[in-house]
Amino acid sequence: MDQHVIELEKLTKVYGDYTAVDQLSLMIRRGEIFGLLGPNGAGKSTTILMMMGLTEPTSGTVRVCGYDSTRNPLSVKQRVGYLPDDVGFYEELSGLENLLYTARLNKMSREMAVERATALLRRVGLEEASGKKAGTYSRGMRQRLGLADVLIKQPEVIILDEPTLGIDPEGVREFLQLIQELSRDEQITVLLSSHHLHQVQQICDRVGLFVGGRLLAVGTVSQLSQQLFAEEPFLIELHVQPGSTALYKKLLELPEVSRIERVDANRWRLSCTANIAPALTQLIVSSGEQLHSLTEKQYGLDEIYHRYFAGRDSDVRKMA
Ligand code: ADP
Ligand code: MG
């Protein structure tokens, strides 16, 4: 079997004269957790709809589990669990009854359905709420029920559209951990879309940065950093006292320091072309200032995102 579970080739969707997805090519490997990251309107949901065969591409191809989603949507739906961004349940039915209903649609025997639904409800932490009406569930509980619902047919792939939207931070952490465990334990390939950087960074093996219908970069977070911050790969955060202007100027004059961002009066973030931590320590101490801390940070998605989204549209286009 092909190691690539999701294959997009020059996938394009045009609405009228607006291109929502522009020549998107992307391969996702079996067992991978992939984050499609981009702001609202980037084209994430449109891409997912094309993967599920729910909307037709204008051009290009999309294959999921080896099947062309446009020509063979049923084969794709049999193998893929899809959690839309506005998941709907039968509000009058309990969590358990909702899962049993899905199981019946998937032609599962009653016995097997009860067994699997019960196990899944336990797995997603809804054991105690399983008898309560879905209509009474909180947003976080609905998302967990949604996850159980997409898992009931034992899919090879799950596709989750903004699954953490509207969940409180603690709930988000637990929910993402759950996705990660499920992916690991059951060898499920996961594609999730999000406009929350930190969340995606937590659990994804790779991410794709998607803006204005175009994919700007793909890779692990550190690969993205290397691609996007090739010229100044080292980020060093200093906590200095008193943090004089004289010191600030001295630091800025160092050839390896390209920029300094003031987090606050005493906390400065230096973008450097080399790791000059030892030299910085010496310089600060010999200037008579106190160095409370020096932290070497890696560029994370947040820096990437800010850099790429803050008024750099022309650069963004060039990179794509
Ligand atoms: P995301 O999920 O990343 O927020 P979407 O895929 O929902 O982005 O939308 C991408 C762009 O395509 C948006 O500008 C949206 O307004 C537009 N769009 C989405 N669906 C339709 C549609 N059915 N008709 C016209 N325009 C659409
Ligand atoms: Mg969307």
Side-chain angles (χ1 to χ4, degrees):
M1 183 81 190
D2 196 340
Q3 282 306 300
H4 288 119
V5 175
I6 298 177
E7 303 160 90
L8 312 181
E9 213 184 314
K10 296 188 177 167
L11 191 65
T12 299
K13 179 74 183 184
V14 178
Y15 291 114
D17 57 5
Y18 183 78
T19 305
V21 177
D22 195 2
Q23 305 259 339
L24 173 58
S25 296
L26 182 64
M27 301 287 220
I28 296 173
R29 290 186 285 265
R30 183 169 299 281
E32 191 168 36
I33 303 183
F34 188 90
L36 193 59
L37 172 69
N40 285 327
K44 304 181 296 295
S45 294
T46 306
T47 301
I48 289 173
L49 291 174
M50 290 191 281
M51 288 178 188
M52 295 305 300
L54 294 169
T55 188
E56 268 194 41
T58 307
S59 61
T61 55
V62 43
R63 293 174 76 80
V64 180
C65 299
Y67 293 93
D68 185 309
S69 307
T70 316
R71 297 207 193 114
N72 229 331
L74 284 179
S75 300
V76 171
K77 280 179 194 125
Q78 275 166 13
R79 291 165 177 83
V80 180
Y82 165 52
L83 185 64
D85 53 358
D86 58 343
V87 55
F89 296 109
Y90 291 95
E91 309 291 343
E92 290 301 313
L93 298 185
S94 70
L96 177 63
E97 287 163 344
N98 267 284
L99 294 190
L100 295 178
Y101 182 82
T102 302
R104 200 162 69 221
L105 287 184
N106 284 281
K107 303 193 167 53
M108 204 178 277
S109 74
R110 171 89 190 168
E111 201 176 55
M112 171 132 173
V114 171
E115 189 180 312
R116 186 140 177 89
T118 310
L120 279 169
L121 285 164
R122 191 181 315 125
R123 189 74 205 256
V124 301
L126 287 177
E127 200 172 15
E128 285 179 15
S130 68
K132 294 203 178 105
K133 287 181 182 176
T136 66
Y137 282 16
S138 70
R139 174 79 194 173
M141 290 166 80
R142 289 175 78 82
Q143 289 306 91
R144 283 185 275 149
L145 182 61
L147 192 57
D149 194 66
V150 300
L151 289 170
I152 199 123
K153 62 180 173 187
Q154 297 185 281
E156 290 173 39
V157 181
I158 56 177
I159 296 181
L160 315 170
D161 197 356
E162 303 264 6
T164 59
L165 210 65
I167 311 181
D168 62 90
E170 182 60 22
V172 166
R173 210 171 9 254
E174 284 173 9
F175 187 75
L176 289 173
Q177 232 161 37
L178 184 63
I179 292 175
Q180 195 171 34
E181 285 165 17
L182 285 166
S183 159
R184 224 185 272 141
D185 298 350
E186 315 216 359
Q187 307 276 298
I188 300 174
T189 308
V190 180
L191 181 133
L192 64 91
S193 83
S194 177
H195 63 273
H196 293 286
L197 330 156
H198 290 106
Q199 297 179 359
V200 170
Q201 189 172 14
Q202 266 176 46
I203 66 155
C204 291
D205 300 313
R206 289 194 306 151
V207 296
L209 202 60
F210 200 50
V211 186
R214 303 179 85 172
L215 196 64
L216 303 188
V218 187
T220 62
V221 171
S222 70
Q223 282 169 346
L224 288 191
S225 310
Q226 282 165 19
Q227 286 172 40
L228 303 175
F229 293 95
E231 282 146 32
E232 41 186 63
F234 297 95
L235 192 64
I236 297 177
E237 196 168 301
L238 302 174
H239 182 189
V240 286
Q241 199 82 26
S244 66
T245 311
L247 177 63
Y248 183 90
K249 281 189 180 150
K250 259 190 232 169
L251 294 177
L252 202 53
E253 276 165 12
L254 293 173
E256 295 90 350
V257 174
S258 32
R259 298 186 304 134
I260 304 182
E261 182 198 335
R262 280 181 197 266
V263 182
D264 62 33
N266 300 102
R267 273 172 228 274
W268 302 346
R269 196 175 287 168
L270 281 58
S271 299
C272 308
T273 56
N275 188 355
I276 51 165
L280 287 177
T281 311
Q282 241 171 21
L283 178 70
I284 294 163
V285 173
S286 67
S287 305
E289 299 232 9
Q290 279 182 22
L291 179 61
H292 288 276
S293 67
L294 182 153
T295 325
E296 293 167 40
K297 302 183 79 161
Q298 209 195 3
Y299 277 108
L301 275 183
D302 211 17
E303 283 79 19
I304 292 169
Y305 209 71
H306 275 112
R307 181 73 68 93
Y308 271 77
F309 292 68
R312 287 175 49 115
D313 260 13
S314 53
D315 288 7
V316 159
R317 290 291 166 195
K318 231 180 351 203
M319 283 289 297

